[in-house]
Amino acid sequence: MANKSYIGLLVLILLMTSQYCAAKETLVANIDEFNDAIKKVQPGDHIILKNGEWNNAQLVVIGQGLQDSPITIEAETSGEVIFTGDSHLKMAGQFIVVKGLWFKNGYTSEKAVLSFRKNSKEFAIHSRITECAVTNYNPTVKTQKYNYIGLWGKNNQVDRNYFKGKTNNGPVLVVWLKGESHIDNNHIIEYNHFAGRPPLGTNGGETIRIGTSQTSLSSSRTLVRNNTFQKCNGEVEIISNKSCDNIFRNNLFLESEGVLTLRHGNRALVEGNVFIGNQKPKTGGIRVINAGHIIRNNLMIGLAGSGFRSPIVVMNAVPNSPLNRYHQVNNVDIQNNTIIDSSPIQLCAGKDDERSLAPINTIFANNIISNSNGGKIAEVFDSLKGFTFSNNYIDTNNTFDQNGFSPIDMKWDLVNQSLLVPSLSNGAKLKATKVSDNAPSIDITGSKRNVLIAGAYNLANKTLPEALTMQVGPQTWKPIVEPLKVILSDQVIEVEPGISTLREAIKKAPSGATLKLKAGEYTLEKGIKITGHITITGIDSVKKPILKIKSGLEKTPNYIFRVTEGNILKLNNLELTGYNTTPIKYAIVSPDKGETLPYSLSIKSCYIHDFKNQNGGSIFKAYKGTIADTISISNSRLENSFRGLNLASEKDDLGKFNAKILVIDNTVFKNIEDWALNYYRGGNESIDAGKLIVNHCIFSNIANKEKGKILRTKGISNVSIQNSVFENSIKIKQPIHLSGTKNTINNCLLFDVGTMKISDGATSKDIYYKNPKWEDKNNFKPSAKSPLIKNADATKQIGLNFKLKK
């Protein structure tokens, strides 16, 4: 028996030795050599990718490594194997390590650049991606959705990587829970540097998402710790938790325009995180939805976000909520957090006719809120009966009339010349109570709490939180990502009237150039695409240059100008006419459908008219999937057209909209058959819901029909209309409908246009239903008896200061 045992042990040793001896390194220089090597790979093998550019390289790693002998795919020199073009990597099997690769300035036609699965049946477990980078890896069609990392399987790890510059739809990193093979996965995401994601302008711009609405009640058990999120501005949800039993610990959120959102799923633990906003707009902390969460020992400094981007947001819920809406906050502990010089917290946020359930069984205890500027402490939107408040301390000149909040004159120590921590002299003032078993036994630095006091710190603790001392990203190399430079010229180009002279001049103009047009007609045979930062201005202020499309063309262009993504067009002192044997559809259009890089448009002192195409035509058209930073129209006249400004292409009701800011100042809209403006945002998820400012404008004979609307602003949360005139649309019953607490109309005159509707907290003030009494109806000059004169003063001028002529 002993001999048999001895022989068995000897065989095992020989097998292990043979495996170890078989492990080898293979240097491969191209995808064919890689494919040959991966077919023969054994536990412990290293496949080394030769330094250089790997263009259109699509690696599929399949192998069965062992815990002590993983299969490793790595760069010859970390950071010097660069994947470009349509490149990606998929892996399936177990104990696989991918190391040192850089995916740079390319794109993928797959669902992820780096994926922990080959297909729906083959995926990775116990595998790792480390010391890699994915930067500016974006498709040409910006609505194309993919992730930089797709995490599947179980027990996988993403660590010490660098991600920057994602501009297309889809989170940077997604943990998927589709199927039993991916639930209770125990993934680890740690020591990564997530940097520089610009605003997407819609949902789908998260940096990390764990799960989906459909799988949100399944447990993921993913650990997200010790990562830095720097300027991750893709959307309101920097991290979107959509599954159960996840941990978010010791992460740093630096100047990121959004919040860590517990969007769906239960029992998340959020502790030891540091949020630093440096008073940047839209920077926030933690948003709470669903049940069983513990939020403790977090530090928030200089967060300037409002609404759903506030330091702490506790949401209202939807009765009998489906998986994709808002479940009730229940059995949540928010304890021992410190908030310094930040915007007010939000309690029962989002209350409306749908979100009518306030939080219940929610503890808010032992927290410190300190505002040196005397700022507001909290905003409350519904009943607080479901909260238990105790031992919270307010260090500010402001007050919050709620039991469980006590004023305190805090004394602070300065750590590392930058960080405020409570000094020892606060001891008697900050005593806290253990209100639940979830009270922290350590503070934000990991130091033991011998005495429970309020806030994230022990008294006089001079140790920095781990989130401020950790090293993130690749440690053996540093990816240096050069920003995409736009070199602007100050060149001035004079253009003569004629056929295609303007188009040819713009084709040769460098970005940043100004084109000066002499008086006369500029005839186009094709529409003009603006591919840089271009200013076009008329030299003669009396005789504006006239821009038009040539009549009788075999194929009539749809537009005069198209602003392409990422670019800027400024039009000054021009006349654009759509008059043609075939009516021109648009004067100006946005980038093409799905091009999501923000653009800007400025129209000043222009006369735009006769865009009468009845097949959906308008003076301006924004296409689906596009987003403008700012559209500004001032001192201009828009008239005799089918429609005015069309920013209503996002009909999927996913919270999307076509412009962040739209400003219309001192402008006339006259004789527009349909609406002057349609600015639309559907759905309930987007928080950046657009901003409209209308000031000193006149709307005359607009949408003159029973169900007509002069201004359509459905779903736009920030609307300001003031000092303006609405007249001469006698058939309309309801010219304007404003809805929402940030919708206002002030000091306006309405005559022969029906009655406006105000709802859901919108406000109106100083509205006059009177005849404007024009002396000059064409140029809207008020007569001596006009109420516009009577009601005007230095701060309230209605429809004045017009200096335009046709």
Side-chain angles (χ1 to χ4, degrees), residues 19 38 83 144 221 260 282 284 411 490 524 622:
Q19 285 181 347
I38 203 68
F83 290 85
Q144 181 180 340
R221 303 190 190 279
L260 191 169
K282 301 182 181 180
K411 305 300 180 185
D490 58 0
L524 303 172

Side-chain angles (χ1 to χ4, degrees), residues 183-197:
I183 294 172
D184 289 318
N185 53 65
N186 297 301
H187 296 317
I188 297 175
I189 302 165
E190 64 180 357
Y191 295 104
N192 300 287
H193 189 176
F194 298 91
R197 179 161 199 189

Side-chain angles (χ1 to χ4, degrees), residues 267-278:
R267 301 181 300 278
L269 172 61
V270 183
E271 63 179 359
N273 302 285
V274 176
F275 301 79
I276 299 177
N278 289 330

